[in-house]
Amino acid sequence: MGQTLAEKIIAKAAGVDHVTPGEIVTCKVDLAMMHDSAGPRSAGKNLDKLGVPIWDLDKLVVITDHYINDDNPSHQEIQKHAQSWSADHDIKHFIKEQGICHIVLPEGGHVKPGMFIVGGDSHSVTGGAFGTFMVGVGATEMTGVLATGEIWARVPETVRIDVTGALTPGVSAKDVILKLCGDYGIMGFNYQAIEYSGDAVSAMSVEERMTLANMAAELGGKAGYCEPDQKTADALTGWGAKDIDIETWRSDADATYAKTVTIDGNALTPHVAAPSSPENSTPIAEHKGTKLDQAYLGACTGAKLDDLRMAAAVLKGRKIKEGFKFMISPSSLAMAEKAKADGTMKIIEDAGGIILPMGCSGCIGIGPSRLEEDTVGISSTNRNFVGRAGPKSSKLFLGSPYTVAASALTGEITDPREFL
Amino acid sequence: MRTINGRAWRYGANIDTDQLAPIGSYQGTGDLGDGALNCLRDMDPNFSKSVVEGDVFVATDNMGIGSSRETAPLFLRTLGIRAVVAHSFARIFYRNCFNIGLPALVCPEANEIAMSDELEIDPLTGEINNKTQGKVYHCQPIPEHLMSIVDAGGLMPFLEQKLKKAS
C-alpha cells in the first residue's frame, strides 16, 4: 500500500519500510533546531544536568531570534547565556541574530527534502514547505533529542488540502490558510499531518509555501508540508544545501489520506481573522471599514521577501494614512538585504512605514509594535490570542501582507484589491 | 503514581499558552521565580493566588493550544496542579505535560465537572471520582508507551535512568 510523504519520512527515520497511522515509533532525528527562548536556557541547562554530550554536533542548529535587538537587561542576559552556552558546548552551527529561526534554518543550507526535523518552537512546522517532516517540541523533549538523537512519534494520519486553480491578484497563501482556520478551526486537523497540494500550491513560491506550512500549527497540525519540486531544489541549492532529492520524497499515488479538502483558488478572496483567535477568520468584507490604530508586517509568517514585495505592490506611490503607525520587521537579514537591493524597502519607507529591528519580538508583544491599551491592530503574523501582542484590552486582526499594507493606507480594514 | 485529591479549576475550550504563560513571565536565565503567578492573569486573576497543592486543572477542547513553551504546564505544576483533565489536548502541550511529570488525562466527560468540585483521580486507571457530584468518570488510559515516562516521574528522570543503564 502506498504511503504519504509524511509516512515515508517517519518510516525512514524509524528505520522501517512502512508505517501506519496510530503506530508509535522511535525516530532518529536528522536535524534539530532550537532558539534562545527554549534552547540554551532551558533544554541546554537540562542537558547539563544530565551531564551527557550533544548526540551529534553536525545536526544541531542554535539560533538567536526571540529576545534580541533591545536593551532589556533580562533579554541581554538570555543572549549572553545563549552565546556562552553555545561556545562551551562547541556548537558548530550557532546563528546569531540573522533572522527568525524558521527562515534562517533553510537559509543556512541546513534543510533538505526527506529530513525528519525537530524544532523547539511550535512554528517549526514551517520547514515542511521544503518536503521535510518537521515538528515543534518543548524544552524537555528537546533535551531528550540533544542527549539521544531520538524521539518517539505517533504516526499521524495525513490530510490532503488541494488548492485548485490559480489565486487571483491580491490573494495569497495567507488567505488560503486563514480560510482553512475559519472553516476547520484551530484544532481542525489536531495531531494530523497536512499535505498542501494542487495547482495553486505548485504555482506558489517556496516562501508562500512556508506561510502555509507555518500556520499548520494554527490548524492543530503535527506537521504541514508540500511535496518538493524544482522550485524547492533551486531555493535550497541557492542557500547552499547539497544533494537535493526531489524524486524520492513524494507521496505515492495510492497513498491513504484521512480526508481530502478542496479549496477553489480561483474563487478565494482576502480573509482576515478577527480577535482573538485565528479561527475567527472570514472573508474581508465582513470587517471592511473596521477602524485600526496600527499595522504590523512581521514574524516568520509575514515579512519574508515575497511578503515585503506584496506590501510594496500595494504601497507603491502611495502614503499611509497620516498619523497611522505602520511598522515592518523583516523575517531575516538576508531577505531585508534583498528587499533593499531591489527597491522594495524604499517603496515601503517612502509610503511612511517604519522599519524595526528584525526578530520575533513584535509577534509576541515585545518592543515598539506592542499594542497599547484599548487599541486595535492588524498584522501579518500567525496568532492573535488575548495578551499575545499587547494588553488584554487590545485587539488584533490577522491578514495577508497585501491586506495589512492596504489597511495602513486607509487606517481601517481594507480589501487590498482596491489598490492593485 | 499516587491518587490525586483536590479541587477542580474548571475552564473551557482553547486555553492557550499565551494565557497560561504570558510572554515575559519567565525572565532571564535562572529558575522560574514568581513567573507562575502570571498564569491565567487575564482570564482568571484569582487562579494563581488561590490554587493549592493537589488541585486539578479541568478544561474542555484543545487544552494548551499555541506555543511550544514548556512554562505553560510548568506554571500549572509550580502552582500545585497535579493533573490536567480535558476533552482534548493540543499536541505539544500534551507531550510537555508528561515530559515534566504532570499527567494529562483525556476525559470525554470533563464538561460535567464544575468549578471547585472535589475530585479524586487515579491517573493510572484514569478513573475520576467526582465526590461533589457523586459521579465517576473514565478517562482514556494513559498510552502505554508513555507509562515508562510517567513511572519515572517525567522525561528528565526517565533519561537519567536510561543513560545510567547505558553507561
Side-chain angles (χ1 to χ4, degrees):
Chain A
M1 200 174 74
Q3 297 188 96
T4 67
L5 175 54
E7 290 157 3
K8 282 188 185 178
I9 296 174
I10 294 170
K12 183 209 61 175
V16 296
D17 291 334
H18 195 277
V19 292
T20 310
E23 190 181 339
I24 307 290
V25 291
T26 301
C27 292
K28 287 204 188 312
V29 168
D30 294 314
L31 181 69
M33 180 273 289
M34 61 185 194
H35 55 50
D36 53 323
S37 183
R41 71 170 177 162
S42 298
K45 286 207 306 199
N46 280 344
L47 184 77
D48 295 345
K49 273 185 218 153
L50 292 175
V52 294
I54 291 164
W55 102 103
D56 189 338
L57 285 167
D58 288 321
K59 293 179 179 169
L60 174 66
V61 183
V62 181
I63 298 168
T64 59
D65 62 1
H66 270 60
Y67 298 108
I68 61 171
N69 288 325
D70 69 26
D71 52 9
N72 179 319
S74 159
H75 298 172
Q76 289 175 346
E77 181 193 330
I78 294 168
Q79 294 316 309
K80 216 171 134 193
H81 177 267
Q83 283 180 53
S84 62
W85 185 91
S86 298
D88 291 348
H89 292 75
D90 300 319
I91 301 301
K92 279 191 186 171
H93 306 297
F94 178 68
I95 306 179
K96 186 186 166 195
E97 300 177 14
Q98 295 297 302
I100 299 173
C101 60
H102 310 301
I103 312 301
V104 301
L105 187 74
E107 279 185 339
H110 298 284
V111 172
K112 292 199 292 190
M115 279 182 155
F116 183 101
I117 315 177
V118 299
D121 187 283
S122 58
H123 288 108
S124 298
V125 286
T126 311
F130 303 96
T132 71
F133 187 85
M134 187 162 179
V135 294
V137 299
T140 303
E141 193 90 63
M142 183 59 81
T143 310
V145 172
L146 295 177
T148 67
E150 293 181 348
I151 188 168
W152 70 266
R154 182 184 163 279
V155 179
E157 296 175 318
T158 304
V159 171
R160 182 172 153 157
I161 294 172
D162 206 11
V163 190
T164 60
L167 302 184
T168 54
V171 180
S172 69
K174 183 65 174 285
D175 299 301
V176 173
I177 198 78
L178 286 177
K179 174 172 173 55
L180 287 164
C181 290
D183 286 355
Y184 296 93
I186 52 171
M187 65 175 299
F189 303 115
N190 217 13
Y191 304 123
Q192 293 174 312
I194 302 169
E195 179 174 308
Y196 300 100
S197 61
D199 289 346
V201 175
S202 299
M204 282 179 191
S205 66
V206 295
E207 292 183 24
E208 280 284 83
R209 296 176 194 173
M210 289 169 87
T211 302
L212 292 182
N214 178 276
M215 286 187 65
E218 279 59 53
L219 292 167
K222 178 169 186 160
Y225 65 87
C226 304
E227 291 177 296
D229 59 10
Q230 195 54 46
K231 281 185 200 169
T232 319
D234 291 346
L236 294 176
T237 305
W239 287 324
K242 293 192 172 65
D243 306 321
I244 308 296
D245 175 1
I246 58 171
E247 302 302 325
T248 309
W249 302 110
R250 311 189 65 76
S251 292
D252 293 326
D254 58 346
T256 305
Y257 295 89
K259 189 195 270 188
T260 298
V261 168
T262 303
I263 292 186
D264 180 356
N266 298 320
L268 188 68
T269 56
H271 275 57
V272 291
S276 292
S277 172
E279 72 183 9
N280 296 338
S281 162
T282 62
I284 196 166
E286 276 200 35
H287 297 286
K288 199 177 165 186
T290 301
K291 297 277 177 244
L292 299 167
D293 298 293
Q294 69 174 60
Y296 178 67
L297 203 65
C300 44
T301 323
K304 304 180 289 307
L305 181 58
D306 282 353
D307 301 320
L308 299 170
R309 285 174 176 161
M310 285 182 229
V314 169
L315 298 170
K316 193 168 186 179
R318 300 189 171 98
K319 294 275 179 203
I320 65 163
K321 190 190 171 194
E322 210 182 322
F324 191 78
K325 261 165 73 178
F326 177 38
M327 290 157 287
I328 300 94
S329 171
S331 303
S332 82
L333 274 186
M335 288 180 175
E337 285 305 318
K338 282 185 186 157
K340 267 185 206 150
D342 74 3
T344 300
M345 291 307 257
K346 187 169 187 315
I347 293 171
I348 294 172
E349 285 180 281
D350 286 351
I354 302 160
I355 311 300
L356 301 180
M358 172 257 344
C360 302
S361 55
C363 181
I364 50 178
I366 297 172
S369 67
R370 181 178 171 79
L371 286 160
E372 290 173 20
E373 293 282 357
D374 299 311
T375 60
V376 184
I378 188 165
S379 91
S380 62
T381 58
N382 45 39
R383 285 188 187 135
N384 58 347
F385 298 135
V386 172
R388 182 165 175 97
K392 186 184 176 182
S393 66
S394 64
K395 289 186 166 60
L396 184 64
F397 287 82
L398 303 177
S400 76
Y402 287 126
T403 300
V404 169
S407 302
L409 291 174
T410 60
E412 54 189 52
I413 292 179
T414 301
D415 190 326
R417 294 173 298 181
E418 294 172 24
F419 293 100
L420 289 167
Chain B
M1 180 178 282
R2 281 197 228 145
T3 304
I4 295 156
N5 276 286
R7 273 183 313 164
W9 290 85
R10 160 73 152 85
Y11 300 98
N14 299 319
I15 309 297
D16 66 76
T17 54
D18 288 313
Q19 300 286 344
L20 292 162
I23 288 290
S25 48
Y26 170 36
Q27 297 277 340
T29 58
D31 59 26
L32 295 182
D34 291 334
L37 295 173
N38 293 297
C39 187
L40 296 192
R41 68 182 178 201
D42 288 337
M43 215 176 83
D44 182 0
N46 184 44
F47 171 72
S48 71
K49 292 181 209 134
S50 309
V51 60
V52 297
E53 175 77 25
D55 281 357
V56 177
F57 196 93
V58 182
T60 59
D61 285 321
N62 208 18
M63 172 62 194
I65 177 67
S67 162
S68 63
R69 67 187 80 132
E70 200 171 64
T71 40
L74 272 175
F75 284 176
L76 293 177
R77 197 190 68 184
T78 303
L79 292 169
I81 292 293
R82 287 296 166 261
V84 184
V85 174
H87 284 168
S88 61
F89 289 88
R91 58 167 289 278
I92 303 179
F93 181 86
Y94 180 76
R95 292 179 70 123
N96 282 345
C97 283
F98 284 100
N99 289 338
I100 64 156
L102 180 66
L105 299 171
V106 177
C107 179
E109 296 147 307
N111 62 328
E112 293 186 20
I113 299 169
M115 188 64 112
S116 302
D117 278 358
E118 289 286 339
L119 305 179
E120 185 178 275
I121 301 181
D122 181 343
L124 294 185
T125 62
E127 192 171 282
I128 300 179
N129 180 5
N130 186 335
K131 294 193 277 191
T132 306
Q133 298 190 28
K135 285 183 189 163
V136 175
Y137 315 119
H138 297 280
C139 305
Q140 290 176 11
I142 293 172
E144 207 181 316
H145 67 284
L146 285 176
M147 283 313 296
S148 49
I149 295 173
V150 172
D151 286 343
L155 186 60
M156 281 295 282
F158 173 81
L159 287 169
E160 274 167 22
Q161 292 167 13
K162 188 177 162 180
L163 295 166
K164 210 173 177 182
K165 267 188 210 157
S167 66

